[in-house]
Amino acid sequence: MNQTAGTTRIQRRNTAAITEAALEVFSANGFRGATVDQIAKAAGLSKPNLLYYFPSKEAIHQHLLATLMDTWLDPLREMDPEGDPLEEILAYIRRKLEASRDFPRESRLFANEIVQGAPHILPTLEGELKDLVDEKAKVLSRWMEEGRIQRVHPYHLIFSIWSLTQHYADFDVQVRAVLGSGDTDPFPEAEDYVITLFTRMLALKP
Amino acid sequence: MNQTAGTTRIQRRNTAAITEAALEVFSANGFRGATVDQIAKAAGLSKPNLLYYFPSKEAIHQHLLATLMDTWLDPLREMDPEGDPLEEILAYIRRKLEASRDFPRESRLFANEIVQGAPHILPTLEGELKDLVDEKAKVLSRWMEEGRIQRVHPYHLIFSIWSLTQHYADFDVQVRAVLGSGDTDPFPEAEDYVITLFTRMLALKP
DNA sequence: GTCGCATTTGACCAAACGGTCAAAGTCACG
DNA sequence: CGTGACTTTGACCGTTTGGTCAAATGCGAC
């Protein structure tokens, strides 16, 4: 019934269970691949009961994407224009890598959405996301002009951070298949590697 | 009826039309999101006629993945153990970037498959793909031991090449949304950036 | 031209799907 | 403990989907 966080105890519990279950199912199967029954079962509810809290499958998906967008952008928002350039960039990378490790389902949900042409969130990409990136790209450009990091294309710098960090969440299966040994955690190695990569690219060599 | 390339003229024409149409539809909508009717229509056939050539939707998908896997691995196969290390690696990166530009649908098809846990091609990843990467990682390691490029984790080096190059195919919508101006081709800039990135990481600084 | 085989099609089916609805059950609160 | 609002459910509906089938059509070799 109520799209936002419920006001009663039961509403809160059930909307939470639904969003959790929907995240699980959508991220593993994509929007079309997920069924309302599947989500309802995972949430411990009957299908009509689930549809009592959200008007449609589409609405659950939209709600998830909208909620997650902030989680997704926050690490970049935290990059401080007044901090030390290289430190700020490396800290941003570490935050993104943490996000990939701790919220892989969220990452895969976005990946699914974008790979298929972002049918549900294109406006957000062209609005909120673009605005934030424009702002931070200016900061990066300034740091480069001030000679505090090496000069590279600021937008592609951000793209490369996204692609490298999210790869370990989105393509997790492939990474583990290639590394063998499904038990070993690839993230510590990944962090070393990625930090080295960006340090060598951006640090000044006098 | 016949999964492999048909033997008659009509068989060849129709199987080709089906695989082309299926690539288009599967890459844009994912496996579950694609419908047989959609593929049939895109191929200019009726649904029963399409199912005369392939026994099921699943079979078309499998056939596509199997065919594309080679296209996907060839750029890495071409990396020559006897060539100049940095040149070979940069040439590999250029080939992968070309592949992302020229075959974005193939890239998205794989991305869809892997993000959702690689349900259809996990064995191939653990077999053929892992074997090839193991072999090439040894070459990279040798180059590093010989002091001809800088020392980094060879597997993550390969992962980073994959993630950076495929990002421009798989997340094309996002890249264009952030850059604005849907008309400009981001690939020339991307190539400059990525080549710079890996050169600075790998080249020796005496 | 005609015969055998390949190809194509309209009609059809069962299952799965997203969603509705009226009725039943449950909770909070005076 | 009763009442009104909130919650839950089984039965149901129309549509979409993957796939089947028998019949019709087209094609090429003789």
Side-chain angles (χ1 to χ4, degrees), chain A residues 112 156 160 168 193 200-201, chain B residues 156 160 168 193 200-201:
Chain A
N112 263 306
H156 289 270
S160 66
Y168 290 98
Y193 175 82
R200 289 192 188 160
M201 178 177 60
Chain B
H156 289 271
S160 66
Y168 290 98
Y193 174 82
R200 288 193 189 160
M201 177 177 60

Side-chain angles (χ1 to χ4, degrees), chain A residues 9 34-36 47 56-57:
Chain A
R9 179 176 48 94
T35 74
V36 177
K47 183 169 64 169
S56 70
K57 177 185 173 182

Side-chain angles (χ1 to χ4, degrees), chain A residues 1 8-9 26 34 36 51 61 63 92 174:
Chain A
M1 166 166 276
T8 79
R9 179 176 48 94
F26 279 135
V36 177
L51 290 168
H61 193 243
H63 175 73
Y92 171 49
Q174 192 185 52

Side-chain angles (χ1 to χ4, degrees), chain A:
Chain A
M1 166 166 276
N2 198 346
Q3 248 106 326
T4 69
T7 172
T8 79
R9 179 176 48 94
I10 295 177
Q11 274 174 32
R12 270 191 300 276
R13 173 170 50 85
N14 284 349
T15 53
I18 291 170
T19 51
E20 161 66 23
L23 175 59
E24 185 72 27
V25 175
F26 279 135
S27 68
N29 303 97
F31 179 73
R32 293 266 330 240
T35 74
V36 177
D37 270 312
Q38 233 179 328
I39 299 172
K41 192 176 175 184
L45 300 174
S46 67
K47 183 169 64 169
N49 198 9
L50 181 147
L51 290 168
Y52 169 72
Y53 291 99
F54 287 87
S56 70
K57 177 185 173 182
E58 181 95 19
I60 309 174
H61 193 243
Q62 293 270 12
H63 175 73
L64 269 185
L65 286 176
T67 305
L68 267 42
M69 187 57 89
D70 276 332
T71 309
W72 219 234
L73 295 186
D74 278 342
L76 181 53
R77 288 205 182 93
E78 288 176 38
M79 198 174 74
D80 182 6
E82 307 307 321
D84 176 71
L86 189 55
E87 284 303 312
E88 286 297 323
I89 294 169
L90 295 183
Y92 171 49
I93 291 166
R94 287 197 195 90
R95 285 194 295 272
K96 282 292 281 179
L97 217 40
E98 267 171 47
S100 277
R101 186 196 342 224
D102 298 340
F103 308 107
R105 299 176 305 177
E106 284 82 346
S107 187
R108 281 192 279 267
L109 185 75
F110 272 104
N112 263 306
E113 172 71 8
I114 309 255
V115 166
Q116 297 187 9
H120 302 94
I121 54 161
L122 191 62
T124 311
L125 298 185
E126 290 169 334
E128 202 177 347
L129 176 67
K130 178 173 164 39
D131 291 346
L132 177 63
V133 174
D134 283 343
E135 176 200 329
K136 295 302 183 180
K138 279 208 187 83
V139 173
L140 292 170
S141 291
R142 179 169 58 78
W143 284 340
M144 292 172 198
E145 279 164 24
E146 294 171 356
R148 303 172 71 189
I149 51 174
Q150 291 211 55
R151 208 178 277 272
V152 294
H153 195 300
Y155 285 86
H156 289 270
L157 171 55
I158 291 174
F159 293 153
S160 66
I161 292 172
W162 289 349
S163 94
L164 279 166
T165 54
Q166 292 172 201
H167 187 81
Y168 290 98
D170 302 343
F171 290 73
D172 176 72
V173 185
Q174 192 185 52
V175 167
R176 288 178 195 274
V178 168
L179 289 178
S181 64
D183 35 294
T184 316
D185 179 13
F187 275 92
E189 291 171 358
E191 181 169 330
D192 275 357
Y193 175 82
V194 176
I195 292 293
T196 301
L197 175 66
F198 283 99
T199 302
R200 289 192 188 160
M201 178 177 60
L202 294 174
L204 301 171
K205 301 273 180 116

